[in-house]
């Protein structure tokens, strides 16, 4: 069984405040429990809250996969407390891109003078893996994760004139491929709680088992 928990569901930039309090304002981070294995997808600001929770189950061993390295997917990593604690082990996976490896990218955002502590000063043990497209990560407990190319919306680019909304497009794809469930995720920072609910309603009109991810949402598969 897989247990999926959403710690950050926002794209581009954190959006705290009363208008987004129901959906949540932290950027991308999803925890997946696959038997005894802990897999974390993305290190947006939501990973700070996950890290605080993980302090109850030390020592922590986890696999951390980066979908890509836009800021909203890496910016929480310097605030992920378990990564500072010796005895914890993290396997970090990303795809080598034009500017460097995942290790170089994570170190870059912590370089002086942007941040007071460097990646090399974090106390946990890190194993970095640069994945090729289609490569499979085998988890110790038998789970498998396949790396695939991502079609990511361009954060911050005006989306008018596309002719159809991305939520309805996603719902049509879910219907066409016979998906069991669709989770809308990486909400635009301009969308308040009402806008996300409207997006969810719009998707459900096409694909009934659609849900908009909210911080704290847990899905068992
Ligand atoms: Zn993003």
């Amino acid at each position: 069984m897989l247990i999926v928990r959403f710690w950050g569901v926002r794209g581009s930039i954190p959006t705290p405040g009363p208008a987004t309090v129901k959906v949540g304002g932290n950027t991308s981070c999803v925890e997946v429990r696959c038997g005894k294995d802990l897999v974390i997808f993305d290190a947006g600001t939501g990973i700070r809250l996950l890290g605080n929770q993980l302090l109850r189950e030390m020592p922590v061993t986890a696999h951390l996969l980066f979908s890509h390295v836009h800021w909203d997917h890496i910016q929480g990593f310097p605030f992920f407390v378990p990564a500072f604690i010796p005895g914890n082990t993290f396997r970090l996976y990303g795809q080598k891109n034009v500017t460097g490896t995942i290790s170089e990218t994570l170190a870059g955002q912590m370089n002086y003078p942007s941040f007071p502590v460097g990646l090399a000063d974090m106390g946990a043990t890190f194993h970095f893996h640069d994945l090729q497209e289609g490569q499979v990560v085998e988890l110790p407990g038998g789970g498998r994760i396949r790396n695939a190319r991502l079609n990511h919306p361009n954060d911050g680019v005006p989306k008018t004139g596309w002719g159809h909304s991305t939520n309805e497009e996603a719902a049509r794809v879910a219907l066409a491929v016979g998906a069991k469930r669709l989770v809308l995720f990486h909400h635009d920072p301009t969308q308040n709680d009402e806008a996300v609910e409207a997006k969810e309603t719009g998707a459900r009109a096409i694909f009934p088992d659609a849900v908009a991810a909210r911080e704290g949402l847990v899905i068992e598969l």
Side-chain angles (χ1 to χ4, degrees):
M1 189 175 72
L2 288 179
I3 301 172
V4 181
R5 184 185 296 267
F6 292 84
W7 292 92
V9 299
R10 194 66 60 171
S12 303
I13 192 167
T15 57
T20 55
V21 74
K22 285 199 274 184
V23 171
N26 281 296
T27 54
S28 300
C29 181
V30 181
E31 170 194 6
V32 176
R33 300 277 178 166
C34 177
K36 288 184 176 170
D37 292 321
L38 166 59
V39 184
I40 303 164
F41 290 93
D42 285 332
T45 61
I47 200 171
R48 184 180 69 84
L49 304 168
L50 167 60
N52 296 344
Q53 184 79 15
L54 290 177
L55 296 178
R56 298 179 194 174
E57 50 182 284
M58 302 257 286
V60 177
T61 298
H63 301 260
L64 178 45
L65 287 97
F66 293 87
S67 60
H68 62 299
V69 295
H70 281 174
W71 201 17
D72 50 322
H73 302 257
I74 62 171
Q75 68 195 143
F77 191 71
F79 299 91
F80 181 51
V81 174
F84 286 89
I85 300 175
N88 292 337
T89 305
F90 296 96
R91 297 186 184 280
L92 302 101
Y93 305 84
Q95 192 151 340
K96 194 171 186 312
N97 58 41
V98 285
T99 54
T101 63
I102 187 66
S103 141
E104 288 165 343
T105 303
L106 290 178
Q109 75 166 347
M110 298 174 77
N111 271 348
Y112 181 84
S114 300
F115 201 74
V117 181
L119 182 70
D121 300 319
M122 297 174 101
T125 300
F126 298 144
H127 300 283
F128 291 98
H129 304 269
D130 292 300
L131 299 178
Q132 304 298 320
E133 195 174 334
Q135 195 173 336
V136 172
V137 176
E138 306 270 2
L139 300 177
R144 308 180 87 220
I145 303 163
R146 185 181 300 278
N147 180 38
R149 184 180 290 277
L150 184 74
N151 188 4
H152 184 275
N154 282 321
D155 294 334
V157 174
K159 298 178 185 70
T160 49
W162 282 24
H164 47 72
S165 57
T166 50
N167 60 317
E168 290 172 0
E169 188 65 26
R172 285 193 193 92
V173 170
L175 196 64
V177 301
K180 287 183 183 156
R181 200 171 300 180
L182 169 67
V183 180
L184 303 169
F185 175 71
H186 194 273
H187 306 305
D188 193 285
T190 63
Q191 291 172 342
N192 61 15
D193 289 334
E194 288 69 32
V196 172
E197 279 163 23
K199 190 167 74 168
E200 183 178 61
T201 304
R204 281 179 178 166
I206 297 165
F207 184 79
D209 285 323
V211 64
R214 293 160 172 81
E215 277 180 35
L217 172 68
V218 177
I219 294 175
E220 294 185 3
L221 299 169

